[in-house]
Amino acid sequence: MMQLLLENRAGMQKICVLLVFLWAMWRGGGPERASGAVLLGMVAVHMAFRDVFGFESVYLTLDPVNFLIDTLGLVAFVLIALKANRFYPMVLAAAQLVSFMGHFVRIMVEPVSSLAYYLLTAMPFWFQIFILAGGMARHVYRNASMGSYRDWRLIAPQLPRSSFG
């Protein structure tokens, strides 16, 4: 059973991301939809590079495509976390930061194993899928029990400047 799971982990990950994305589009608010779109976009870009350019992930050296995907994902998750009226997007951004920093570990520490590089860059994605699913569940529960609430934080209003003159 475990062998079957390990052999099909990439396919299972894509299915999980698609299911969470569809759930976010159906029942989620703005942050859930945006976060689901980022996760799905990261998978889609990775699949496009693999299918169109014949790219395969290499963990013996720095993986430039995954580094680019993780960089763009980090920027997107940080922007969502700064604007969302939720806590879990900060956890998504933190997990993406771990994945992003894993590439620098690969560059700076030469004897790091390819397994460690893989775990640092790929495993946070699974964590993000589960965190988004948990955030979705919490959002759905809160909407059902307390009613709707703001998706995004309000920008502080600008106070009029007083003139000294």
Side-chain angles (χ1 to χ4, degrees):
M1 178 69 175
M2 187 60 133
Q3 184 68 22
L4 182 66
L5 291 175
L6 289 174
E7 289 173 0
N8 297 312
R9 69 183 179 275
M12 289 185 335
Q13 188 178 58
K14 291 171 190 162
I15 291 169
C16 289
V17 168
L18 183 61
L19 291 174
V20 170
F21 171 77
L22 291 174
W23 188 27
M25 292 299 127
W26 177 46
R27 299 284 307 264
E32 290 80 21
R33 291 177 179 166
S35 298
V38 170
L39 288 180
L40 187 66
M42 291 170 71
V43 169
V45 169
H46 190 271
M47 287 174 59
F49 269 97
R50 188 190 71 222
D51 294 341
V52 173
F53 301 112
F55 164 79
E56 286 296 325
S57 295
V58 178
Y59 293 101
L60 298 174
T61 60
L62 177 71
D63 191 344
V65 172
N66 283 340
F67 177 69
L68 174 67
I69 293 169
D70 285 339
T71 302
L72 295 174
L74 178 63
V75 170
F77 280 128
V78 167
L79 290 174
I80 293 168
L82 290 175
K83 297 287 186 180
N85 191 28
R86 319 268 199 276
F87 177 74
Y88 78 87
M90 289 189 190
V91 180
L92 293 175
Q96 190 62 35
L97 182 62
V98 170
S99 183
F100 175 76
M101 292 305 293
H103 297 288
F104 289 103
V105 169
R106 182 70 199 167
I107 293 169
M108 297 186 331
V109 181
E110 188 57 36
V112 73
S113 72
S114 57
L115 177 62
Y117 181 43
Y118 168 75
L119 292 175
L120 278 171
T121 58
M123 288 297 117
F125 196 78
W126 278 106
F127 184 67
Q128 288 171 315
I129 295 169
F130 295 126
I131 291 299
L132 180 55
M136 271 296 307
R138 179 73 180 118
H139 170 71
V140 169
Y141 172 77
R142 182 172 177 179
N143 266 348
S145 64
M146 297 182 192
S148 64
Y149 59 104
R150 274 195 313 261
D151 287 341
W152 305 103
R153 293 183 184 155
L154 296 177
I155 297 174
Q158 295 293 324
L159 297 175
R161 294 184 181 187
S162 62
S163 60
F164 296 105

